[in-house]
């Protein structure tokens, strides 16, 4: 790694991490934007490491999101098979409110509540990690995302994994 890290390298590295938030405006921008910025600046070792970390983390988040969906899929199929009887129950008891109606809906509420809770936890984790990585990059420090699967090999020897560790 280079001994001196220019302000431009720090800013580009921080921008690589922050560009992953573009996924909320454009589909797959969390992969395309950091990949483009990283590709044009990968000759600088500091920027190269941050680019690899950002891409690895976004791929990891995609895998975790797919896993959450796959975990919820069997439950959804089980409850979806009972969907017709649920609709009939709601139609027959449209004006009535009973414990039986709540029991019929409880599986769906539990499933969607669990999926939403897991996805919300993943969102908060991603938000925290990307902001933390951006701060470290802007300070000229290397950073390794927690729970990141290394799809692209990095050369980190002593990364800062947590802001509480110096």
């Amino acid at each position: 790694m280079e001994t001196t890290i220019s302000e431009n390298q720090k800013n580009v590295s921080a921008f690589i991490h922050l560009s992953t938030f573009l996924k909320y405006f454009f589909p797959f921008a969390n992969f395309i934007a950091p990949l483009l910025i990283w590709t044009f600046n990968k000759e600088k070792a500091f920027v190269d490491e941050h680019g690899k970390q950002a891409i690895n983390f976004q791929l990891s988040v995609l895998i975790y999101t797919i896993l959450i969906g796959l975990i919820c899929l069997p439950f959804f199929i089980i409850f979806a098979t009972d969907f017709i009887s649920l609709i009939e129950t709601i139609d027959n008891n449209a004006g009535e409110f009973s414990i039986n109606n709540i029991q019929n809906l409880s599986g769906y509420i539990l499933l969607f509540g669990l999926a939403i809770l897991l996805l919300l936890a993943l969102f908060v984790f991603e938000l925290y990690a990307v902001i933390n990585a951006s701060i470290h990059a802007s300070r000229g420090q290397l950073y390794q995302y927690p729970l990141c699967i290394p799809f692209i090999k990095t050369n980190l020897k002593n990364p800062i994994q947590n802001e509480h560790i110096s």
Side-chain angles (χ1 to χ4, degrees):
M1 172 111 5
E2 300 170 9
T3 55
T4 59
I5 300 166
S6 69
E7 283 301 313
N8 182 44
Q9 290 178 30
K10 293 176 188 177
N11 292 337
V12 168
S13 297
F15 190 62
I16 286 174
H17 295 291
L18 292 174
S19 70
T20 62
F21 290 134
L22 288 174
K23 75 178 178 182
Y24 298 111
F25 303 104
F26 306 104
F28 302 108
N30 59 323
F31 300 109
I32 297 168
L35 187 62
L36 287 174
I37 298 167
W38 172 51
T39 302
F40 291 125
N41 295 286
K42 67 167 50 169
E43 69 277 353
K44 301 170 188 105
F46 184 75
V47 176
D48 186 46
E49 288 300 320
H50 279 280
K52 289 176 183 178
Q53 288 294 328
I55 298 295
N56 281 341
F57 185 67
Q58 290 305 308
L59 289 170
S60 299
V61 168
L62 176 65
I63 297 294
Y64 297 146
T65 304
I66 290 170
L67 286 175
I68 290 170
L70 289 175
I71 289 170
C72 292
L73 186 63
F75 298 109
F76 179 74
I77 291 171
I78 291 168
F79 292 121
T81 57
D82 193 34
F83 188 69
I84 295 172
S85 66
L86 177 66
I87 290 177
E88 288 175 357
T89 304
I90 291 172
D91 282 343
N92 293 337
N93 301 318
E96 302 171 16
F97 183 76
S98 68
I99 298 298
N100 190 28
N101 292 347
I102 295 173
Q103 288 174 343
N104 287 338
L105 289 174
S106 65
Y108 293 104
I109 294 169
L110 180 65
L111 168 68
F112 292 117
L114 177 64
I116 289 170
L117 184 65
L118 287 172
L119 290 172
L120 180 65
L122 185 62
F123 168 75
V124 170
F125 171 68
E126 180 185 9
L127 187 68
Y128 164 79
V130 169
I131 291 172
N132 203 12
S134 300
I135 291 170
H136 281 84
S138 68
R139 291 179 182 165
Q141 300 170 333
L142 294 175
Y143 182 79
Q144 183 176 3
Y145 283 97
L147 304 176
C148 184
I149 303 167
F151 296 102
I152 303 170
K153 182 146 175 61
T154 61
N155 299 321
L156 292 178
K157 291 178 179 61
N158 294 318
I160 295 176
Q161 296 180 349
N162 190 331
E163 75 273 5
H164 302 294
I165 301 172
S166 297

